Structure formats: structure tokens, C-alpha cells
DNA sequence: GCACTTTTTAGACCAAGTCTAAACATTGAG
DNA sequence: CTCAATGTTTAGACTTGGTCTAAAAAGTGC
């Protein structure tokens, strides 16, 4: 398949190439969805969205590509409260608030919370951390 | 089957009865393992340990009982970093440190860390929270 | 155009977890 | 004590998120 000329896709293709990932049509479509998401989608949710534009894309390609993007540092993945893997295009440190009623995961900026005592922990070498909160949004924004 | 006379089982049986859970032999055996664990075992890990004493116990009974213990507040459950459900007999607030190399989850006392800013969060109603750290133990204690 | 490499695909496979329906155990009314 | 009703356990079927496989398709370099 021929590459498109559009701006967004080119930008995504460039980011893939920078990491040594050949930007096939499928990979660009998957990366566009996953990297632009403001949610924390599962692989199957990404697959559903990608299929709207590229109906023949296979489930294996979506899983392989998302895992590759994680390896190359363009995405992070973690297990949701329900135990399913979700992908997070925000690779900078930040906190998470989980609405257990809906499963929605909200980002909180790193600066919104201060954690004290990590450096003083005895017996552990800490590589990174985050605060995980459970609750729900009040205003119907976000 | 007849109930045993031993002290630990009686204590577990009492805790089950208090919550309206009839203390069958299977449930007492499962609860003994899960409530005494200092690790954060999965259901299948509990099953393996229970089978040493009660070889005929079924997987369904282990899952049903553990879920019942969570409902009744004697256990908590959450998804591990690998996305598998684990059970935690420590129902008081505390933090968790995950060794990603081994999957081991360590408890940190609530007082070991201070989180500031939760009350000031705009747009969210927070029910509870904890700090999740990734790292590894230094000394070979614990 | 042709060999070679990389990627994608459909579907098999796997493992954690749930559900089902029958067997088994316990309870208590008579 | 008997036996019917109720509660519990069981084996195994089923579901689902995720991985693996082997063949087809696409891309690359000459
Ligand atoms: Mn799994
Ligand atoms: Mn699941
Ligand atoms: Zn996030
Ligand atoms: Zn714990």
C-alpha cells in the first residue's frame, strides 16, 4: 500500500522511523489511534477504532504493534484495576485516578501531588512510583 | 466432615461465622491459607497450598471462597502489575512496592510515606488512594 | 523481474477466571 | 431418627484477553 501525504500520519511515521520501526500502513494507523488517545485504551479498543479506517487489520498486528511501541518507549502499558492491559501515550510521570464504577482512568499531573518519604525508605531501591487514587469526577468536565 | 479442634482453625472459623459465612472444612482451609499469607497470592497459588492439606478441593471452591472473603471484607483483591488478580489479607491502608523482575509485591506501612495535595484536587472526589512503587529490595531480608 | 527479508494475516492455542448442573453435606421439622 | 429442603462442593464446560504459528502478502535491493 502507498503511504499517504497527510500531516498527522507523516508525523506519526516519522516518530516510528526514529525508533527503527518501519512505518507500514497498519502500524501508522494503530500508532495514530494509540498515541493520540486521551483515554487509556485496551488493545481491543484500539483495534475497534483502527478497523473503522482499515477494516482488514488483524488482531495480532494490533497486539504486536502496541507491544512494540511500548518496547520502543512511545507508549507505556499497565494493568487496569480490572486486570486488563491498557496503553498510555503519556509517558511522562503522572498519577492516576480510577473511577471504579466506570473503569475510566484519569490522568493527574505530577505536580498535583507531593509524595514524601520515598528517599528515606529502608531496605528498598525505588526506581519510580506514582499515586493511584480511586474516586470519581465531580463536575461533568473531562 | 467433622470440624477440627485446633486453635488456629477455630479462630478462622469464628471469623467466618462472624461474617455469616458457614465455616465448611474447605472454606476454613482456604481462609487459613489466604488470611495468614504474608505474600499477595493469586487464587491458583492459594489453591496449590490448600491442596497439600485437602487434595480434593476444587478450583471453583477456591475462587468462590476467596471472592466471598473479599465481599465480606476479610480480604482485599487487586490486579497485579502482570494483570492477574491477587489477594491481600492486610485490609488496612498501606502502600505497595512491586519488584518487576520477580513479580513480588511488598507492603509498606501507611506511615512510611506522606502524600500531600489529595484534598486540594480539583474536579475529583477521592475515596481512597495508595502509592505504588516499582523497585527491588536491597538487603536480602523480608 | 527476481530473490530475499519483513510484515501481516487467520486461526489455533493458552491461561485466568466464571458458570453450570449434578453430587454431596448439613439442617431442622415432624 | 427420617427425610425433605437448603446450602455447598465438584468436575468440567465455557469465556475472554492475550500469544503463537505458519502461510500469504508486501517491501527492498539488485
Ligand atoms: Mn494472562
Ligand atoms: Mn479477564
Ligand atoms: Zn495516564
Ligand atoms: Zn498489601
Amino acid at each position: 500500500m502507498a503511504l499517504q501525504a497527510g500531516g498527522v500520519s507523516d508525523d506519526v511515521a516519522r516518530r516510528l522511523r526514529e525508533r527503527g520501526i518501519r512505518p507500514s500502513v497498519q502500524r501508522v494507523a494503530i500508532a495514530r489511534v494509540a498515541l493520540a488517545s486521551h483515554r487509556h485504551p485496551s488493545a481491543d479498543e484500539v483495534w475497534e477504532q483502527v478497523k473503522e479506517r482499515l477494516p482488514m487489520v488483524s488482531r495480532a498486528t494490533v497486539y504486536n504493534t502496541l507491544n512494540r511501541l511500548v518496547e520502543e518507549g512511545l507508549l507505556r502499558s499497565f494493568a487496569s484495576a480490572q486486570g486488563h492491559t491498557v496503553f498510555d501515550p503519556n509517558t511522562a510521570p503522572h498519577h492516576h485516578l480510577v473511577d471504579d464504577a466506570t473503569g475510566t482512568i484519569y490522568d493527574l499531573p505530577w505536580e498535583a501531588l507531593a509524595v514524601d518519604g520515598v528517599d528515606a525508605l529502608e531496605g528498598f531501591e525505588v526506581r519510580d512510583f506514582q499515586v493511584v487514587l480511586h474516586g470519581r469526577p465531580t463536575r461533568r468536565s473531562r
Side-chain angles (χ1 to χ4, degrees), chain A:
Chain A
M1 289 185 182
L3 289 174
Q4 300 159 259
V8 177
S9 296
D10 279 358
D11 185 57
V12 170
R14 184 181 51 71
R15 294 185 67 186
L16 296 181
R17 233 179 269 107
E18 280 171 6
R19 310 282 175 143
I21 305 172
R22 188 150 15 144
S24 68
V25 171
Q26 289 89 340
R27 285 172 174 167
V28 170
I30 293 161
R32 274 187 67 176
V33 169
L35 293 174
S37 174
H38 280 212
R39 306 198 183 103
H40 295 80
S42 69
D44 281 347
E45 284 165 359
V46 171
W47 189 32
E48 284 308 315
Q49 241 188 292
V50 169
K51 276 193 289 190
E52 291 171 15
R53 286 173 176 258
L54 213 62
M56 292 302 293
V57 73
S58 76
R59 200 156 162 267
T61 296
V62 174
Y63 275 82
N64 288 338
T65 300
L66 291 173
N67 288 335
R68 185 80 187 278
L69 293 175
V70 170
E71 280 170 30
E72 300 297 341
L74 291 173
L75 282 179
R76 287 198 310 171
S77 71
F78 57 92
S80 73
Q82 289 89 64
H84 299 148
T85 302
V86 298
F87 295 87
D88 192 343
N90 185 353
T91 56
H94 61 284
H95 306 292
H96 283 130
L97 186 142
V98 181
D99 184 343
D100 291 304
T102 66
T104 310
I105 300 167
Y106 299 92
D107 282 347
L108 297 180
W110 184 253
E111 307 76 34
L113 299 171
V115 179
D116 199 24
V118 173
D119 295 335
L121 275 183
E122 292 285 326
F124 295 103
E125 185 188 314
V126 178
R127 207 176 48 256
D128 62 83
F129 66 90
Q130 66 163 321
V131 182
V132 177
L133 306 95
H134 292 253
R136 59 176 194 194
T138 49
R139 336 221 161 224
R140 53 183 146 258
S141 54
R142 301 186 183 251

